[in-house]
Amino acid sequence: MYDPTVARLTYRALLGRRRALILGALPLLLLVIAVAVRALAGADDQTAANVLGGFALATMVPIIGVIAGTGAIGPEIDDGSVVYLLSKPVKRPTIIFTKLIVAVAVTMVFSAVPTLIAGLILNGNGQQVAVAYTVAALVASIAYAALFLLLGTVSRHAVVFGLVYALVWEALFGSLVPGARTLSVQQWSLAVAQKIADGNLVTSDVGLATATVLLAAVTVLATWYAGQKLRSLKLAGEE
């Protein structure tokens, strides 16, 4: 289910100079904000939770997921170079699964690692806030990568749709409309963080058991459907 050649090509595409600069911009901004907040406000657990929840998990993680998930396959479909992969003796679900692993790894590195560093800067992991949000970023990275990889497979406008989901649904509706929160990857990952953090600094509208099931279901179903959609792409010689 994992092909090293496909993985190498995907890493090369995602970590090219231009895309790497885009991926690194938000983590760098998070660290700058963390340093500034710590210098101005000192170490405060609530402030740390606000920054990590309001910026890192609500904005940075989904946007990086959009870039990594859609970028793992979308450009290849758009420019037709996916034909090269489809012509090789590699099963199409294997291509999707390999690209998912790469997208998850890239999303985790560029979101969870900066989240942990920012949390340590903000309050030294007081009340387990830094670790809680880091774990939330890790589990959210998996679901986001799967969702946005699926978008990259089914739509030529995957980045636009991904950003709408990340910035409108997750950040706007997810914070204002109670019903929408239960259908939010952010809230599902917050349920995991809530279990880890001490006190009431991290809260979620979704129970841990429900969140775990939904995270797993979305990841599995999105990956499966992306594989099915890639199967439907026909080469000229197959028609």
Side-chain angles (χ1 to χ4, degrees), residues 35-68:
V35 171
V37 169
R38 178 62 186 265
L40 294 173
D44 181 77
D45 295 339
Q46 185 61 62
T47 300
N50 291 342
V51 172
L52 296 180
F55 181 78
L57 192 62
T59 302
M60 183 185 73
V61 179
I63 290 179
I64 290 176
V66 169
I67 297 170

Side-chain angles (χ1 to χ4, degrees), residues 3 5-6 9 81-92 94-95 235 238:
D3 187 276
T5 301
V6 174
L9 293 173
S81 61
V82 72
V83 171
Y84 169 79
L85 284 178
L86 300 183
S87 65
K88 299 299 179 182
V90 181
K91 294 180 179 180
R92 296 181 185 186
T94 298
I95 294 174
L235 299 178
E238 296 177 335

Side-chain angles (χ1 to χ4, degrees), residues 101-112:
I101 295 299
V102 174
V104 168
V106 170
T107 306
M108 285 182 172
V109 168
F110 282 90
S111 61

Side-chain angles (χ1 to χ4, degrees), residues 3 9 15 17 23-24 26 34 40 56 61 65 80 94 96 99 117 171 181 185 198 204 206-208:
D3 187 276
L9 293 173
L15 299 178
R17 181 178 301 178
L23 284 169
L26 284 175
L40 294 173
V61 179
T94 298
I96 288 295
K99 287 182 173 294
I117 296 173
R181 297 173 188 169
V185 174
D198 297 331
S204 173
V206 183
L208 180 60

Side-chain angles (χ1 to χ4, degrees), residues 149-160:
L149 179 65
L150 172 60
L151 272 180
T153 306
V154 302
S155 173
R156 291 182 177 272
H157 306 289
V159 173
V160 175

